[in-house]
Amino acid sequence: MEVFLLFTLSFLGATILPFSSEVAFLVALENDMPPYTALFFASFGNILGIVLNYYLGLFLYEKTKTKLTASRVGNKALFLGKKYGYYTLILSWLPIIGDPLTLVAGLFRLRFFWFFLVAGFLRIARYYFLMFMI
């Protein structure tokens, strides 16, 4: 039951909902969950959450495409997003700004493989770092 709760809170923490997956991870460790079990379920839930964000961004692109391409600012934003979008994924592990960046990655139609590789690795690394901080 604890692993399901950790998975769920980590999933919700990766969305734009106000949940803290880091707190759930640390509480799981404090309650004697084996560290690598906590790492696996927190990472798995969080990565599925950012994948949901990415696909929501793709969906929003289809809905906002005409508005974005109709204005000079929108076209510039799309251009900059395509040009620097992969670099911004380096910040996707950060609390507060990281989760919206994963949605923007879908909105800017970044390649899923690179999105998944960079953002997923950073999510695992964040929990791994927290695991050794305790």
Side-chain angles (χ1 to χ4, degrees):
M1 185 63 173
E2 286 180 356
V3 293
F4 178 73
L5 185 59
L6 176 60
F7 170 83
T8 304
L9 290 174
S10 296
F11 175 82
L12 293 173
T15 64
I16 57 172
L17 297 174
F19 286 98
S20 175
S21 61
E22 295 86 1
V23 171
F25 179 72
L26 294 173
V27 167
L29 291 176
E30 288 293 321
N31 287 325
D32 296 326
M33 182 179 287
Y36 286 101
T37 302
L39 177 69
F40 175 79
F41 284 99
S43 299
F44 187 56
N46 212 255
I47 289 171
L48 285 180
I50 65 170
V51 168
L52 173 68
N53 288 347
Y54 178 86
Y55 282 105
L56 284 174
L58 283 179
F59 175 76
L60 288 173
Y61 176 80
E62 294 301 325
K63 299 291 184 192
T64 60
K65 181 180 179 179
T66 54
K67 283 187 178 183
L68 286 172
T69 56
S71 71
R72 201 176 105 235
V73 173
N75 275 322
K76 184 166 183 145
L78 285 173
F79 171 75
L80 291 173
K82 293 267 187 199
K83 186 173 182 181
Y84 299 110
Y86 294 104
Y87 298 111
T88 61
L89 286 178
I90 294 170
L91 302 174
S92 68
W93 66 274
L94 291 170
I96 301 170
I97 67 165
D99 299 327
L101 285 176
T102 61
L103 189 133
V104 170
L107 184 66
F108 288 148
R109 303 177 70 88
L110 300 181
R111 291 186 181 197
F112 181 77
F113 175 79
W114 293 112
F115 161 79
F116 187 79
L117 189 69
V118 172
F121 171 77
L122 290 171
R123 296 298 169 124
I124 295 168
R126 175 180 64 187
Y127 291 124
Y128 192 76
F129 178 75
L130 282 173
M131 187 171 69
F132 283 103
M133 290 294 293
I134 292 192

